[in-house]
Every structure is written in C-alpha cells, then in structure tokens.
Amino acid sequence: MSDYRYLTFALGKGRLANKTMELFEEIGITCEEMKDKNSRKLIFVNEELKLRFFLSKGPDVPTYVEYGAADIGIVGRDTILEENRNVYEMLDLGYGKCRMCVCGPASARELLLHHERIRVASKYPNIARDYFYDKKHQTVDIIKLNGSVELGPLVELSDVIVDIVETGSTLKENGLEVLEEVCPLSARMIVNPVSMQMETERIKDLVNRLRGRLSS
Ligand code: PRP
C-alpha cells in the first residue's frame, strides 16, 4: 500500500458528499478527519488507504476531474450534462434521484405544443439549449439564472423554466407544474481519463465494490 500514490476525490459539497461518505464507509473507506464539522480544513486524508478527499461547489467538480486535480469526482448528472467536461462517467450511485423538467404555469403548455419562440429561464442554460434546440427543434430565448428559478414565470421574466424537480413541492407552492420531462438525474461517479489508464486496477476495484454494495 505504501507505494501507492494518493487517489484524490472531489465531492460536491452538502448532502451529496454526506451520502457519498456514508456509502464509502459501507465498503470500508473512512475519513475520520472529515467528520469534524467545525473543521475549516479543505483537504482530508486517509493515510492508510492513500486517499485524499476535498469538497467543492458541485459545478466545479467536473473541472477538477478534467484537469486531473482530482482523479475521481462525485456529482449530480445535472452538473455533468451542464459542464460537458472531458471525463468518464463510471457509475450511477442511485442517490440524489430527481428529474430535470420544463416547468411553468399550466397556461404555458400551449406554447410548448406550438413551438412558439418562448423565454426559458434556467440555472442550466446548456441543458435547456440542448433540449429545446437539438431535441425539440424549437427556437427559444434562454435566460441564465443562479437560483430560485421558479421566480422566472412568477414575475414574468420567462414563460417557462428548466429546473430540477425532486418532491415537486416548490412548484406546487408557487402554482407551477411539470410540463415536460427532460431527463432523470442522480449522483454519478466521474473519472479523469488519464487516471483511469494509470490507476486502472484501483479504480476498477473501487467501482466493483461500490456496485456490489449498491446492488445488495
Ligand atoms: C432545487 C431546484 C428547485 C427545488 C426542487 O433548488 O432548483 O428549486 O430544489 O425541489 P422540490 O421539487 O423538492 O421542491 P435548490 O434548493 O437547490 O436551490 P436553488 O433554487 O437556489 O437552486
């Protein structure tokens, strides 16, 4: 083990990282340092297994992995699709399940049917563009927002939104609904292509152990 180089993991901050560390613990990968919630440390190490972990904003995870600053990343499929980085998607971890949807008031349903030039607000402009231009062949104006996207149709910034729907309660409480489903989402493991070549055995072993745990 001591001859190994460190394998570095980038984890999307928050619930996803907590779920990931719970899953890793189940296959014997622990990181005690990470459990100290008062710590301001940014990088956590398991010396014995030669593993390093760091937390970052979700959208930065594919960037760290593409450049090889992290060998492996754990992030939502929404971020992978939006960032479109040169990384391998290795495993569906199954948690963080939700859907990317086109949402709006019921009255906007008509606008989608007739391929009108509508305004679409989203935190995910690339996903919205791919969906409307490539899949639906509908020309739309896309407006990038950074959060609370449901406001778009409420204040008449946009006709519809493209956003994540989990329980549907944000939509419901604001008089909006799912109009179309773009794609299902969940947490994924991504790997740097060079790391995959250099550390094939270690990464494959990790993927197999995780896959075994997830299917049991
Ligand atoms: C996400 C998403 C929706 C909400 C959906 O927002 O953008 O707003 O969760 O969840 P629900 O279907 O269970 O109501 P998030 O909380 O990440 O914050 P944001 O609006 O600032 O992006």
Side-chain angles (χ1 to χ4, degrees):
M1 189 69 67
S2 59
D3 294 340
Y4 282 5
R5 72 169 181 86
Y6 283 94
L7 263 191
T8 302
F9 293 76
L11 309 178
K13 262 186 205 168
R15 247 186 317 167
L16 208 64
N18 296 339
K19 280 290 273 179
T20 301
M21 293 317 288
E22 276 172 36
L23 174 67
F24 280 13
E25 276 214 40
E26 290 173 18
I27 61 161
I29 294 176
T30 52
C31 190
E32 290 308 314
E33 277 191 330
M34 253 176 124
K35 292 181 182 167
D36 177 3
K37 297 294 171 211
N38 296 320
S39 171
R40 304 294 293 170
K41 267 183 101 162
L42 294 172
I43 299 181
F44 307 94
V45 184
N46 179 325
E47 291 290 353
E48 193 196 338
L49 298 175
K50 288 273 189 276
L51 301 175
R52 296 199 304 174
F53 300 88
F54 66 82
L55 302 174
S56 77
K57 288 257 186 192
D60 293 338
V61 169
T63 311
Y64 285 112
V65 175
E66 180 182 88
Y67 284 91
D71 301 289
I72 295 172
I74 308 288
V75 71
R77 184 178 179 224
D78 49 318
T79 305
I80 299 170
L81 294 173
E82 182 62 24
E83 296 299 315
N84 196 22
R85 294 280 178 178
N86 178 27
V87 296
Y88 291 156
E89 192 181 312
M90 295 291 292
L91 189 61
D92 182 348
L93 296 163
Y95 46 82
K97 272 202 167 80
C98 49
R99 301 180 293 156
M100 186 65 73
C101 297
V102 180
C103 312
S107 58
R109 210 174 277 280
E110 189 88 351
L111 303 173
L112 294 170
L113 287 178
H114 298 124
H115 280 211
E116 303 219 11
R117 182 161 186 147
I118 54 171
R119 283 182 170 186
V120 181
S122 186
K123 225 163 113 171
Y124 303 91
N126 293 327
I127 294 177
R129 192 168 298 112
D130 287 351
Y131 180 70
F132 278 101
Y133 281 76
D134 297 346
K135 204 162 168 194
K136 295 199 62 180
H137 306 292
Q138 179 172 4
T139 303
V140 297
D141 294 317
I142 293 169
I143 304 168
K144 162 91 200 264
L145 288 178
N146 292 297
S148 303
V149 178
E150 291 83 357
L151 274 171
L154 300 182
V155 300
E156 293 175 20
L157 172 74
S158 68
D159 299 290
V160 297
I161 59 173
V162 168
D163 199 19
I164 291 173
V165 179
E166 193 180 350
T167 61
S169 41
T170 311
L171 291 178
K172 202 165 168 216
E173 284 185 33
N174 291 290
L176 305 173
E177 54 189 67
V178 171
L179 303 171
E180 290 175 358
E181 180 170 324
V182 177
C183 61
L185 304 169
S186 57
R188 307 288 160 108
M189 174 185 282
I190 55 174
V191 178
N192 171 277
V194 177
S195 304
M196 193 59 215
Q197 286 204 330
M198 308 291 287
E199 296 288 340
T200 314
E201 288 315 312
R202 276 173 96 190
I203 295 173
K204 271 191 176 167
D205 175 63
L206 173 69
V207 169
N208 286 337
R209 283 193 292 148
L210 287 170
R211 200 172 269 143
R213 182 74 201 101
L214 291 166
S215 63
S216 67

